[in-house]
């Protein structure tokens, strides 16, 4: 799970992606690392450490060329390992190599990439055919030793001081961590209405191509009016699995989600969001609340950047969600039209407000490289062009998802799991014979069946005790939930009317801080007139979504588009649980802004409603920075 609660300077030019009056400027700069440099692993930061490997790092510098003989130097951390060759190691050496593989798998939370034929300083030496075969056999034995599977992603020849053809190989090693069922990545799906989002997800998850009239998307819709209009209005979740060898596991071979979960080592959970502007609040809630690791922006090849496309791109950038782009419906257009749409996207991504490096994926080699660079460098933006009807280039997107690594490493995950339990409530259901069920994300800690938690804040600021009866992840039973994982929790006969979206379920010993008022440092992205005291906006902070009034602006009386200020907000309906540093997004009509929470004005946890009904009560104790 990626924690995006850090404060930081906002980029005012993100506003270009919002308000209607702000157009794009062509011919803008596009900086950043080269996207087509031919490297298998680019954008990694060298991580010099004391030890043997560190000595090699200053020996050589990467040479700029069309096919450079270098990769970035090997980092001590991370899940990528360089090996020159693995030919007939001694038993002692073999045990050491197996232990090293365990470490790399742990760093990648179950996935590691081995570059065979590469020195520690990144020099692409390559191996002869015989040495490569022997090295891959040794790697296979190492993987068997640690209970993992290997898949050769690609092999390529290198030209380096030799007349004999020499190759390097890139190998994916995958093993489900012992303490969990599968590796899980969440991908939010964005894009304008009718861009083909739901159809693409239907094709990926069902394993059958579309008929050109929307058949593939029917299984994704949750409401009758969605089927009738063909437009998504709610948030739905779809899953795509990969087994340990990298083969796709979806509904074409499995009848239930439980079967997919049982046979998959890696799971991609797609969060299908609405594209129509009138459902924008639902889309923002999906982006802020469900903590997606990545965002997939779907653009129709025949209409290009239209409607809410710019706004969705701006939202993902404001919330710092890494984004990649899929140009769909290429079967409806000529090649020139598709190229024009791609050029339009590239111009938008390179302009100063974005500063992205577009990377067009046209081969399997590109897909492998794009997945690795995308996770390592936030400026890289892969672009896929495909068709859900003919299936053109669909396999490249599947390869990309198979290799895409998690953003957080094992150390970050471990730190989150050691904190007290905190579960964000995003959905509430009543299920026959089960009772009240809540869906959401475990932000920190560990949650087990039978655990006693408290839920709130209620309208009077209090928290109610409850018991977690059972847990399900991706519609299959699960006994233990870990930080960063999304799930549904059954609460038995707990009164559903007491619950609402935006609540949290926490450990009783946490003593959660709740507030009516809070300060936030904001940037006003777009506003038609002036932003002043008394103005009401809908505030989104994580899973919290509520109307708030502007109580005060520090150092100024009013704000205009692009200006910054520290603003005091006051919730209208009920107090909320917030954290200092949490990302904030607010909107009202055409008004939009982003920022982060800087200070809370907490109320005591069990204060009576009569005291907190009309105004917040400030406590002299210093604000807790969660």
């Amino acid at each position: 799970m990626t924690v995006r609660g850090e404060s930081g300077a906002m980029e005012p030019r993100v506003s270009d992606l919002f308000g209607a009056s702000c157009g794009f400027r062509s011919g803008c700069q596009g900086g950043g690392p080269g996207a087509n440099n031919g490297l298998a692993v680019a954008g990694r930061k060298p991580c010099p450490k004391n030890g043997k490997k560190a000595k090699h790092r200053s020996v050589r510098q990467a040479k700029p060329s069309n096919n450079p003989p270098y990769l970035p130097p090997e980092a001590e951390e991370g899940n990528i390992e360089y090996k020159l060759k693995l030919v007939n190691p001694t038993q002692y050496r073999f045990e050491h190599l197996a232990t090293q593989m365990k470490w790399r798998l742990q760093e990648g939370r179950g996935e590691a990439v081995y570059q065979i034929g590469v020195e520690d300083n990144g020099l692409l030496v390559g191996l002869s055919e015989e040495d490569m075969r022997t090295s891959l056999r040794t790697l296979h034995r190492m993987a068997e030793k640690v209970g993992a599977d290997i898949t050769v992603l690609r092999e390529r020849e290198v030209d380096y001081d030799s007349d004999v053809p020499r190759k390097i190989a890139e190998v994916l090693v995958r093993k489900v961590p012992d303490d969990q069922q599968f590796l899980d990545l969440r991908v939010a799906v964005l894009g304008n209405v009718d861009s083909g989002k739901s159809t693409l997800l239907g094709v990926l998850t069902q394993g059958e191509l579309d008929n050109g009239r929307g058949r593939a998307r029917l299984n994704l819709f949750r409401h009758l009016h969605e089927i009738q209009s063909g437009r998504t209005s709610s948030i739905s979740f779809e899953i795509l699995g990969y087994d340990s060898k990298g083969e796709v596991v979806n509904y074409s071979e499995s009848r239930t989600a439980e079967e997919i979960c049982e046979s998959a080592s890696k799971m991609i959970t797609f969060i299908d969001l609405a594209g129509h502007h009138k459902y924008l609040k639902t889309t923002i809630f999906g982006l802020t609340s469900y903590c997606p690791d990545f965002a997939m922006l779907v653009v129709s090849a025949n209409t290009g950047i239209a409607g809410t496309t710019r706004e969705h791109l701006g939202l993902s950038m404001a919330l710092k969600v890494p984004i990649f782009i899929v140009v769909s419906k290429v079967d409806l257009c000529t090649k020139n039209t598709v190229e024009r749409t791609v050029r339009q996207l590239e111009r938008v991504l390179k302009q100063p407000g974005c500063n992205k490096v577009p990377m067009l994926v046209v081969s399997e080699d590109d897909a492998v490289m794009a997945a690795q660079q995308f996770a390592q460098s936030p400026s890289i933006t892969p672009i896929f062009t495909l068709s859900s009807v003919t299936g053109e280039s669909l396999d490249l997107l599947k390869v990309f998802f198979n290799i895409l690594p998690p953003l957080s490493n094992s150390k970050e995950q471990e730190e989150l799991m050691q904190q007290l339990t905190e579960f964000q409530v995003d959905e509430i259901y009543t299920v026959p014979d089960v009772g009240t069920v809540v869906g959401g994300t475990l932000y920190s800690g560990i949650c087990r069946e039978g655990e006693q938690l408290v839920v709130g804040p209620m309208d009077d600021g209090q928290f109610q005790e409850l018991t977690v009866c059972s847990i399900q992840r991706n519609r299959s039973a699960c006994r233990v939930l870990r930080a960063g994982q999304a799930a549904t929790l059954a609460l038995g006969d707990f009164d559903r009317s007491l619950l609402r979206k935006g609540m949290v379920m926490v450990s009783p010993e946490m003593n959660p801080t709740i507030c009516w008022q809070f300060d936030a440092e904001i940037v006003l992205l777009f506003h038609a007139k002036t932003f002043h005291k008394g103005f009401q906006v809908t505030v989104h902070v994580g899973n919290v979504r509520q109307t708030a009034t502007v109580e005060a602006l520090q150092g100024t009386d009013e704000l205009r588009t692009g200006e910054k200020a520290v603003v005091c907000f006051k919730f209208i309906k009920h107090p909320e649980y917030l954290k200092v540093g949490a990302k904030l997004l607010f909107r009202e009509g055409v008004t939009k802004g982003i920022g982060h929470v800087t200070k809370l004005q907490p109320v005591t946890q069990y204060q009576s409603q009569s005291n907190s009904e009309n105004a917040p009560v400030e406590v002299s104790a210093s604000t807790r920075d969660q």
Side-chain angles (χ1 to χ4, degrees):
M1 175 183 175
T2 310
V3 182
R4 297 188 185 86
E6 302 85 7
S7 59
M10 296 297 163
E11 172 56 78
R13 286 182 174 172
V14 173
S15 62
D16 290 359
L17 298 170
F18 290 90
S21 64
C22 304
F24 284 103
R25 295 175 290 280
S26 60
C28 295
Q29 306 159 1
N36 297 313
N37 55 9
L39 297 184
V41 186
R44 272 185 23 177
K45 294 180 182 176
C47 189
K49 295 267 179 184
N50 295 329
K52 293 180 182 176
K53 289 181 181 175
K55 294 177 184 175
H56 298 293
R57 296 227 164 107
S58 59
V59 176
R60 307 175 193 265
Q61 296 294 321
K63 301 173 186 176
S65 103
N66 291 332
N67 186 20
Y70 282 82
L71 294 176
E74 182 187 69
E76 299 288 340
E77 284 84 21
N79 69 334
I80 298 175
E81 177 70 32
Y82 296 172
K83 285 286 173 245
L84 182 56
K85 59 181 173 181
L86 299 167
V87 177
N88 300 326
T90 62
Q91 185 61 33
Y92 175 78
R93 172 71 177 153
F94 181 80
E95 294 294 337
H96 173 74
L97 290 169
T99 304
Q100 191 178 49
M101 181 178 278
K102 277 185 184 174
W103 158 250
R104 291 296 185 187
L105 285 168
Q106 187 183 340
E107 282 287 282
R109 288 172 53 192
E111 288 184 345
V113 174
Y114 271 67
Q115 304 280 358
I116 309 297
V118 182
E119 285 189 356
D120 286 348
N121 64 352
L123 178 64
L124 307 184
V125 176
L127 297 177
S128 66
E129 194 75 43
E130 181 59 34
D131 282 353
M132 180 59 75
R133 270 202 306 270
T134 309
S135 295
L136 288 176
R137 275 201 301 269
T138 305
L139 193 66
H140 186 70
R141 283 173 50 217
M142 289 159 54
E144 279 186 336
K145 171 88 174 172
V146 300
D149 282 304
I150 68 169
T151 309
V152 178
L153 297 176
R154 54 181 179 163
E155 288 186 0
R156 59 192 178 102
E157 288 192 6
V158 290
D159 308 317
Y160 182 72
D161 297 345
S162 174
D163 299 330
V164 183
R166 301 172 76 86
K167 287 184 175 180
I168 63 166
E170 192 167 358
V171 184
L172 177 70
V173 185
R174 179 174 289 161
K175 176 184 184 291
V176 181
D178 297 327
D179 61 351
Q180 64 190 69
Q181 218 173 333
F182 45 76
L183 180 64
D184 194 14
L185 296 182
R186 286 193 292 281
V187 178
V189 185
L190 302 168
N192 188 40
V193 65
D194 300 331
S195 60
K197 300 185 297 297
S198 299
T199 299
L200 174 60
L201 293 193
V203 170
L204 286 171
T205 59
Q206 304 296 325
E208 289 184 12
L209 294 175
D210 187 49
N211 62 354
R213 295 188 297 277
R215 181 182 64 190
R217 68 189 178 198
L218 292 178
N219 291 316
L220 277 67
F221 290 149
R222 297 171 62 184
H223 304 291
L224 179 61
H225 71 264
E226 292 180 325
I227 295 172
Q228 291 168 341
S229 68
R231 292 176 176 176
T232 303
S233 65
S234 59
I235 299 172
S236 65
F237 297 86
E238 297 302 320
I239 55 174
L240 174 67
Y242 289 89
D243 64 18
S244 57
K245 292 183 171 62
E247 298 294 324
V248 170
V249 183
N250 57 21
Y251 287 109
S252 62
E253 295 173 356
S254 309
R255 285 187 295 180
T256 64
E258 197 165 356
E259 286 181 24
I260 294 177
C261 293
E262 283 173 1
S263 50
S265 300
K266 180 178 188 173
M267 195 76 76
I268 309 291
T269 302
F270 294 107
I271 307 165
D272 189 15
L273 302 173
H276 200 283
H277 194 273
K278 71 178 180 180
Y279 304 122
L280 182 63
K281 68 174 186 179
T282 305
T283 302
I284 294 175
F285 182 78
L287 272 175
T288 56
S289 179
Y290 292 105
C291 307
D293 298 293
F294 305 100
M296 176 169 75
L297 181 67
V298 182
V299 178
S300 175
N302 55 351
T303 56
I305 296 177
T308 54
T309 305
R310 280 188 171 96
E311 195 149 23
H312 287 180
L313 177 60
L315 285 171
S316 66
M317 287 181 58
L319 295 167
K320 291 186 166 52
V321 183
I323 193 164
F324 61 96
I325 297 173
V326 171
V327 178
S328 65
K329 302 187 181 181
V330 298
D331 55 294
L332 295 179
C333 310
T334 62
K335 190 177 179 183
N336 287 341
T337 306
V338 175
E339 287 174 355
R340 188 170 68 240
T341 300
V342 170
R343 282 198 303 272
Q344 186 186 15
L345 283 165
E346 287 175 341
R347 274 201 306 274
V348 168
L349 292 169
K350 287 178 180 177
Q351 57 108 16
C354 290
N355 273 334
K356 300 285 187 183
V357 181
M359 181 179 182
L360 188 61
V361 177
V362 294
S363 67
E364 197 166 310
D365 219 41
D366 291 343
V368 173
M369 185 164 56
Q372 293 171 344
Q373 292 192 1
F374 179 54
Q376 291 154 2
S377 172
S379 60
I380 299 290
T381 304
I383 301 176
F384 297 84
T385 56
L386 53 80
S387 166
S388 298
V389 174
T390 64
E392 180 185 338
S393 298
L394 201 62
D395 285 345
L396 301 184
L397 189 60
K398 291 177 182 175
V399 167
F400 178 79
F401 283 133
N402 179 37
I403 299 161
L404 196 59
L407 287 178
S408 60
N409 59 31
S410 55
K411 190 185 295 182
E412 292 169 356
Q413 179 80 354
E414 199 66 40
E415 286 173 1
L416 277 174
M417 282 165 54
Q418 287 171 1
Q419 297 174 16
L420 291 171
T421 303
E422 179 188 323
F423 182 87
Q424 299 178 345
V425 177
D426 301 329
E427 300 281 350
I428 304 158
Y429 318 95
T430 300
V431 179
D433 301 326
V434 176
T436 303
V437 174
V438 295
T441 307
L442 187 66
Y443 184 84
S444 62
I446 292 176
C447 182
R448 295 180 174 84
E449 282 185 359
E451 188 148 356
Q452 302 285 327
L453 300 174
V454 293
V455 64
M458 306 295 168
D459 289 351
D460 59 359
Q462 295 194 33
F463 278 68
Q464 298 274 348
E465 293 183 356
L466 55 76
T467 304
V468 177
C469 301
S470 63
I471 304 171
Q472 281 201 342
R473 282 184 69 204
N474 289 318
R475 303 174 196 136
S476 65
C478 168
R479 292 198 171 277
V480 181
L481 191 63
R482 291 173 174 80
Q485 296 177 345
T488 51
L489 312 183
L491 308 179
D493 57 359
F494 190 85
D495 186 358
R496 175 181 172 165
S497 64
L498 296 174
L499 299 172
R500 59 177 168 78
K501 292 181 183 180
M503 284 184 165
V504 287
M505 291 162 48
V506 296
S507 297
E509 56 265 36
M510 182 181 274
N511 188 23
T513 307
I514 60 171
C515 66
W516 278 95
Q517 280 190 199
F518 65 95
D519 292 351
E521 185 179 322
I522 66 158
V523 176
L524 193 60
L525 293 176
F526 184 75
H527 188 52
K529 296 179 183 176
T530 56
F531 187 77
H532 51 78
K533 180 181 176 181
F535 199 78
Q536 289 191 350
V537 293
T538 302
V539 172
H540 297 260
V541 187
N543 65 334
V544 169
R545 179 177 65 188
Q546 194 188 146
T547 304
T549 305
V550 176
E551 289 290 293
L553 286 81
Q554 291 184 18
T556 183
D557 292 330
E558 56 185 34
L559 281 182
R560 297 183 184 276
T561 299
E563 293 182 342
K564 290 183 182 182
V566 174
V567 176
C568 177
F569 290 100
K570 175 186 170 185
F571 289 122
I572 283 183
K573 293 182 181 176
H574 38 69
E576 298 282 9
Y577 168 74
L578 297 181
K579 291 184 175 183
V580 171
K583 268 280 183 286
L584 171 141
L585 195 146
F586 61 87
R587 59 178 180 81
E588 178 56 46
V590 294
T591 301
K592 294 178 185 69
I594 55 175
H596 61 275
V597 177
T598 55
K599 182 184 177 185
L600 305 178
Q601 298 182 15
V603 294
T604 53
Q605 183 176 340
Y606 297 110
Q607 194 152 26
S608 66
Q609 186 174 0
S610 59
N611 287 341
S612 59
E613 204 167 66
N614 299 316
V617 178
E618 296 187 22
V619 181
S620 58
S622 61
T623 303
R624 268 179 63 194
D625 186 343
Q626 295 277 346

